[in-house]
Amino acid sequence: MAESPQPVLPTVPPAPRRIPKPLVRLGRVVLVAVVAWLLLRLLRGVDWHEVGHALTHLSLWQIAVLLVAMLIRRSVLAAPIALFVAGLSYLRAMVSDVAAAAVATIAPSPGDVVIRLAMLRSWGIDSTDAASGLTLGTILFYVARLGAPVMGFAVFWAGREFYAPFAWSALVFGAGAAVLLAGTLYALRAERTAAMLGRLLGRLIRRVRPARPGPEVWEQRLVSFQSHSAHRMQQRGWLAVLSQLILIVVEAGVLVLCLAFVGVQVDGPVLLILFCSFLVIYPLTGLPLMGAGILDATYAAFVSNHSAVEATDLVAGLLVWRVAVQFVPVAVGLLAILLWRRSSSGITRIG
């Protein structure tokens, strides 16, 4: 009698390698030490009485100018969504953008994406249009965020001198922007890859949830998503890219405006330093709370190394800037969410 074959045991894939915990702890300690050193360097020369005076003595016309600057900033931030999402008006794009900004500030990701999609669905936007537009807009935003140091370094080198820290920042973050952009352009052309990923995703979902649609449905969804995204990028991509270039200039301009309003003398050389320093560290705005503390200390260190701007004025200007670009949008965004939820369509979709 022939022996029955031995059962083949399933192979267990090796666990992914993880960074050793001691190395993670060391990295955190180094990060905290660097941030603490930068903050101490910044705060050591601050006259907090003068900071308070600067913050409480903004004139009405200065506040009005800052509000107009905030409106311009929000309109530029919302431009890619308005361009990529078919049937979405510019006003509604701004409303969804400021609402998402408020949620992202007070709640973890992906809460901002959830509120965006809910708003777009309540306005009758097709799901594919909404997902495609949000994806493309987010990718271009991060490409611009990572590419900003390249612009800052180039302008500083052309206008003043070669500065190695700026060059390293431009090299590292610029490479990240190039990789992200190249991957996006490839994905927009890779219909076969989208079909393969759709089939793979469908199989994985079917194993976990047998009642869910199978590979054929997911293949169709991803191919439709890919072709739709490619079409929108071909139609509106150059306008969206232009809007992101304008966004970089506007972001730096708003900070320079806040610094000027608290007493910084913004002449030609100082303007170059203030403008370029912010662009070089602009990727730090991707950290929680827009890099609060880390970005401020790094920016002050860069500016102090190349100018005679007082630390007191820098702190005051940065505080005004944070109120303008963080706290005011959060208040407006929460109000926008409240009004949207009270509308009949918002209540139907959410409640």
Side-chain angles (χ1 to χ4, degrees), residues 18-25:
R18 296 181 178 179
I19 301 175
K21 289 184 178 180
L23 188 59
V24 173
R25 293 193 186 100

Side-chain angles (χ1 to χ4, degrees), residues 46 48 50-55 258-259 262 310-322:
V46 173
W48 289 102
E50 290 296 327
V51 171
H53 182 272
L55 291 176
C258 292
L259 291 167
V262 298
E310 295 291 337
T312 298
D313 293 335
L314 286 173
V315 171
L318 286 165
L319 288 175
V320 172
W321 173 73
R322 287 209 171 271

Side-chain angles (χ1 to χ4, degrees), residues 281-304:
I281 64 170
Y282 186 63
L284 295 180
T285 58
L287 297 174
L289 297 177
M290 293 184 65
I294 299 175
L295 181 144
D296 308 68
T298 306
Y299 180 76
F302 279 175
V303 173
S304 300

Side-chain angles (χ1 to χ4, degrees), residues 13-295:
R17 294 183 178 180
R18 296 181 178 179
I19 301 175
K21 289 184 178 180
L23 188 59
V24 173
R25 293 193 186 100
L26 178 61
R28 290 174 179 172
V29 170
V30 171
L31 178 62
V32 171
V34 171
V35 173
W37 176 77
L38 289 171
L39 285 173
L40 287 174
R41 179 178 175 180
L42 169 63
L43 301 178
R44 189 165 46 193
V46 173
D47 184 339
W48 289 102
H49 177 73
E50 290 296 327
V51 171
H53 182 272
L55 291 176
T56 56
H57 284 74
L58 291 176
S59 63
L60 291 178
W61 74 266
Q62 289 174 328
I63 295 175
V65 170
L66 285 177
L67 291 176
V68 172
M70 289 304 95
L71 182 60
I72 295 173
R73 177 177 179 268
R74 298 283 7 148
S75 65
V76 178
L77 280 168
I81 306 301
L83 290 169
F84 285 135
V85 178
L88 182 64
S89 68
Y90 213 106
L91 179 59
R92 284 183 168 178
M94 291 178 64
V95 170
S96 68
D97 182 77
V98 73
V103 172
T105 302
I106 61 179
S109 184
D112 55 332
V113 178
V114 172
I115 193 67
R116 278 184 185 271
L117 289 174
M119 281 186 159
L120 295 180
R121 285 197 301 267
S122 73
W123 294 329
I125 303 298
D126 178 74
S127 297
T128 301
D129 281 331
S132 173
L134 291 177
T135 301
L136 291 175
T138 301
I139 290 174
L140 284 185
F141 174 73
Y142 278 100
V143 169
R145 174 178 277 169
L146 293 173
V150 178
M151 181 185 294
F153 163 69
V155 173
F156 191 79
W157 191 7
R160 181 161 175 171
E161 62 184 357
F162 178 88
Y163 185 45
F166 284 10
W168 279 110
S169 179
L171 178 63
V172 173
F173 290 113
V179 170
L180 181 58
L181 182 60
T184 302
L185 294 177
Y186 169 77
L188 292 176
R189 296 175 178 269
E191 184 175 340
R192 291 183 179 180
T193 303
M196 180 187 68
L197 291 176
R199 290 193 298 270
L200 177 60
L201 181 62
R203 294 191 188 100
L204 293 174
I205 293 176
R206 176 64 66 83
R207 290 180 181 178
V208 179
R209 302 283 297 274
R212 303 292 291 179
E216 296 78 11
V217 175
W218 281 101
E219 175 184 355
Q220 182 181 2
R221 288 179 178 177
L222 259 68
V223 169
S224 174
F225 178 85
Q226 181 270 338
S227 61
H228 183 85
S229 300
H231 179 67
R232 297 300 291 179
M233 179 64 82
Q234 186 177 8
Q235 281 189 324
R236 306 286 184 87
W238 69 274
L239 284 173
V241 171
L242 177 61
S243 73
Q244 295 305 289
L245 294 176
I246 297 173
L247 172 64
I248 295 173
V249 177
V250 170
E251 292 277 43
V254 170
L255 177 56
V256 172
L257 188 65
C258 292
L259 291 167
F261 283 172
V262 298
V264 175
Q265 298 297 320
V266 184
D267 54 15
V270 173
L271 174 61
L272 183 69
I273 294 167
L274 297 177
F275 185 86
C276 295
S277 296
F278 181 72
L279 292 186
V280 167
I281 64 170
Y282 186 63
L284 295 180
T285 58
L287 297 174
L289 297 177
M290 293 184 65
I294 299 175
L295 181 144

